[in-house]
Amino acid sequence: MNFFRGVMGGQAAGPQPSGAETIQKLCDRVASSTLLEDRRDAVRALKSLSKKYRMEVGTQAMDHLINILQTDRSDSEILGYALDTLYNVICNDEEEEQDESEDAVTPLPVSGKHKNVSMPDENAQKQADDLGAHFTDKFIQDPEHVTLLLTLLEEFDFHVRWPAVKLLTALLKNQGPQVQGIILVSPMGVSRLMDLLADSREVIRNDGLLLLQQLTKGNAAIQKIVAFENAFERLLDIITEEGSSDGGIVVEDCLLLLLNLLKNNSSNQNFFKEGSYIQRMKPWFEVGDDNSGWSAQKVTNLHLMLQLVRVMVSPVNSPGATASCQKSMYLCGLLQQLCTILMATGVPADILTETINTVSEVIRGSQVNQDYFASVNAPSNPPRPAIVVLLMSMVNERQPFVLRCAVLYCFQCFLYKNQKGQGEIVATLLPSTIDANSISAGQLLCGGLFSADSLSNWCAAVALAHALQDNLTQKEQLLRVQLATSMGNPPVSLLQQCTNILSQTKSEKGSKVQTRVGLLMLLCTWISNCPIAVTHFLHNQENVPFLTAQISENLGEDERLVQGLCALLLGICIYYNDNSLENYTKEKLKQLIEKRIGKENFVEKLSFVAKHELYSRAAQKPQPVFPSPEQMLFDHEFTKLVKELEGVITKAVHKSSEEEKKEEEVKKTLEQHDNIVTQYKELIREQDAQIQELKEKVVSMSSQNEQLQATVTQQLSQIQQHKDQYNILKLKLGKDNQSNSQGDGSQVNGLQTEELTQLREEVEELHKQHALLQTQLGDKDALIDTLKSEAAQKAECSAGASDNTDLLKELEALRSQVQLQSSEINLLKTERQDLLKRAETGLSDTVSTGDSSSDPAKMADLENRLAAQTAETEKLKDETKSLSESRADLEQQLASATSTVAILQTENAKLQTEVQESKKEQDDLLMLLADQDQKIHSLKQKLKSLGQTVEDEDDLDARDQTDDDEEEEDDDNED
């Protein structure tokens, strides 16, 4: 212990050891001491020296400290000292940590290279970073060391868990990808780190957020695991608990972690949307009326929240996922809340700018969101549309540059794939819709287009170009716009005024290049794919000479871009020329280029546009982001147009007149073939419709057949019920007749002559009734035989129909049932005849023995029995009659069903015949079409081998549609 007294505070005699020697002794003490207290004191001493002697402690003590972590797991204090020491050695931060040791270590003298040496801060920081990376590499050489730290995170003791979190964070900062890979393959590694967010101690929870930020940087696999460990729910709960946008640095850390999890990770974005977490973002943007005094932390938090919204609807995401998120944001009211911030007062400028960018991407390409944004009004008197208010800021040169760029982006996103919005913007420029009492979007764009500010010129030109993007109708409508120049002079068209400004600024340098580039982009977008606009442009005799003169001049570097755009504009005039002007046909324009400029020079000037540095930067993403106003030259959508037209214009310029004629002939031939193909397609569509109609009829007939089969089944069940009832009555009648015959034979003695006469009369009446019943039964038998023969004939007629086999089986079953019933009726007739014979025998016995008996009691009994038999006979007659009626009804229904089935079979056969004929005709047409397509394909291959551009069928359809629209417009003008 004398050694520790000297090191930890006592004054030792003789020369003091150097720092390296002291650290070596401490390391030996840690390795060799058997007492836990001695090792703990040695590790605590190393911790106190680890900042000042970082190199020595890291080099000599790291292995011993790792061994302490492995062997002394039971003592939390020594674990904490060891973790703190490793953190001080590996961490590159300059922040000083609080010394948690109970004893203060006496500063040791600095010797050798550790003396204070003046050194630039950059070199010192670089050396520190290199040292941290070196010790990190040494620590993670064995992946088990990182796994050991993950197991220490399960310790609840604050002095172990907190330093372990900080050490893991430092390792991730120095060697992120390597440490991420170790944690990823470690069992339950990410889950242990996620448990830090549930720690009740805020210090550990907050440092756990920083750890997860480093862990999720650039690793999609870990991002997915963290997300599915319920990270979104926990982080949103923490943000709500901390006060949302009014919260502190913890909210910022949560938002940064959310950005790491969602950015460029489509799986997590979909999980975030499907989990209904977008709805929980709406309360973040609820701002009050008093927006003064925003704290810096609130601005930062809200800025990150807006970025989080933009990540979900970024244009780089898949279109389907973006559209789904945009729909959710509209339905939950998030877009409405953002528009409220947009129109609120007192909002800081950077928040307002980011809000405009966020609203832009929420409405981009979504028709519902774009329509809602068009309906938003600013809280002014009188109310003005939000679009107008934003455009006023864009053309105001006193507004910040980033704000003007954001407004331009918002306007572009509003018009993206929004033909309705494009039409509304262009309509504000037309003479019939201009309102002198209010400021419209069109007036603001024209004002910006012709103002003295070059940036306003460029923004207004690009905004107007987006109103014409991929919209032929609005390009033609904009040709009607007339501008008043000065008193006494006639108005000029907007197209002509743009070319006038180009010629006026030709001699000016510097900032006016931006104006000319903007106007040239507008003109190229305007007349591309619009032959009518090309004709209007060429109709002015000064335009083509101006373009050729501009291209042919040898100007400086700044003017080469303008020359390239002029070449593009002239090339568009050639490619989309319909040869309606005799002086400026395609051939004459190409001859002019060859004489005045030279084809090679023209192509070289044209190719300079795509080679420009700012062109490549603008082509990367839709949002206009520029370091300075001077670099604001290209628009993202215009770069797409250049990429599309550069190649075809080059080919068009190099084509000869003979090639043009051949191409025209081939085009005419292709058009003829296309017309034939179109006719056949129409015919096939009609036949398909007829086949579909026939199929529907077949389905209807099948359903009717099923209904009839169900009716037959129901009738069979009813017949079975009547059969059962008849069997019961038959049995009951047989038993009564047997008992009556036995009783009559034994008790007819003693009857008087008058009573016997009455009985004979009644028996005769019963004979008559029985004869009548027999007649009725004979009729029924004849009817049943008739039904049998008809059913047999129908069965023979329908034996060849494979679709009605089930119905035939049911008819056979009915026939067998009718035969059974007929046999039962015959049996009943036999039983009745036996009954009559027994009755006659009883009467004869009564006559022969009537004089010898006169017992009145027996006579009364016989009368009662005879009356009962008479009543029973009447009852049987009624039941037989009702059964006969029901049998007749069933037979009639059976006959109706059989006839309906025959009709259905006939119609089905006709339909099948018609379907076969239609299929045969369709096969013939398809063969003819295949021959036509083969011919067309061979012609196209010949054209391509000759170097000609062959348009697809969709392009020809679009051209036909354009020609039809032009003819309709000409007819309207003539009217």
Side-chain angles (χ1 to χ4, degrees), residues 915-957:
V915 169
Q916 293 296 330
E917 292 176 356
S918 299
K919 287 183 178 178
K920 184 176 179 181
E921 292 177 0
Q922 189 172 4
D923 292 337
D924 296 337
L925 290 175
L926 289 175
M927 292 293 294
L928 184 58
L929 281 176
D931 295 337
Q932 293 291 338
D933 288 339
Q934 185 65 30
K935 292 179 182 178
I936 293 170
H937 182 69
S938 62
L939 288 173
K940 288 183 179 178
Q941 292 297 327
K942 290 180 181 178
L943 281 176
K944 290 182 179 178
S945 64
L946 293 174
Q948 301 298 323
T949 302
V950 180
E951 296 181 352
D952 295 329
E953 182 181 352
D954 295 337
D955 297 334
L956 294 175
D957 294 340

Side-chain angles (χ1 to χ4, degrees), residues 254-429:
C254 291
L255 293 171
L256 288 172
L257 180 54
L258 284 172
L259 284 172
N260 282 353
L261 296 175
L262 293 173
K263 194 170 185 179
N264 299 325
N265 194 318
S266 58
S267 175
N268 283 1
Q269 290 174 7
N270 184 62
F271 181 66
F272 191 85
K273 179 185 69 69
E274 296 296 334
S276 301
Y277 295 119
I278 291 178
Q279 288 80 344
R280 296 186 61 178
M281 298 166 67
K282 179 190 174 184
W284 296 353
F285 305 102
E286 294 177 355
V287 296
D289 297 333
D290 185 12
N291 294 318
S292 60
W294 286 45
S295 64
Q297 187 62 55
K298 181 175 182 179
V299 172
T300 302
N301 291 344
L302 201 55
H303 196 274
L304 291 173
M305 291 172 178
L306 292 169
Q307 287 185 358
L308 196 61
V309 176
R310 293 185 64 184
V311 164
M312 298 298 296
V313 293
S314 174
V316 301
N317 297 343
S318 64
T322 300
S324 180
C325 291
Q326 288 172 335
K327 181 180 179 181
S328 298
M329 290 178 183
Y330 174 76
L331 294 176
C332 73
L334 180 58
L335 175 60
Q336 294 84 332
Q337 203 65 47
L338 292 174
C339 291
T340 302
I341 298 177
L342 200 65
M343 296 292 104
T345 56
V347 179
D350 52 348
I351 294 298
L352 181 60
T353 302
E354 189 64 19
T355 304
I356 294 174
N357 289 328
T358 305
V359 171
S360 304
E361 295 182 351
V362 173
I363 67 174
R364 186 176 188 268
S366 174
Q367 187 65 52
V368 176
N369 294 3
Q370 289 167 340
D371 292 343
Y372 171 76
F373 183 71
S375 66
V376 175
N377 289 323
S380 59
N381 191 14
R384 289 176 178 171
I387 298 175
V388 173
V389 175
L390 292 176
L391 288 178
M392 293 172 68
S393 301
M394 186 186 74
V395 298
N396 187 353
E397 56 185 312
R398 292 176 293 180
Q399 293 292 338
F401 174 65
V402 291
L403 179 63
R404 299 174 74 181
C405 291
V407 173
L408 176 61
Y409 184 45
C410 184
F411 191 73
Q412 292 173 352
C413 292
F414 169 67
L415 297 178
Y416 182 71
K417 294 183 179 180
N418 183 12
Q419 294 193 354
K420 177 183 177 183
Q422 289 174 327
E424 292 173 353
I425 296 298
V426 173
T428 59
L429 288 165

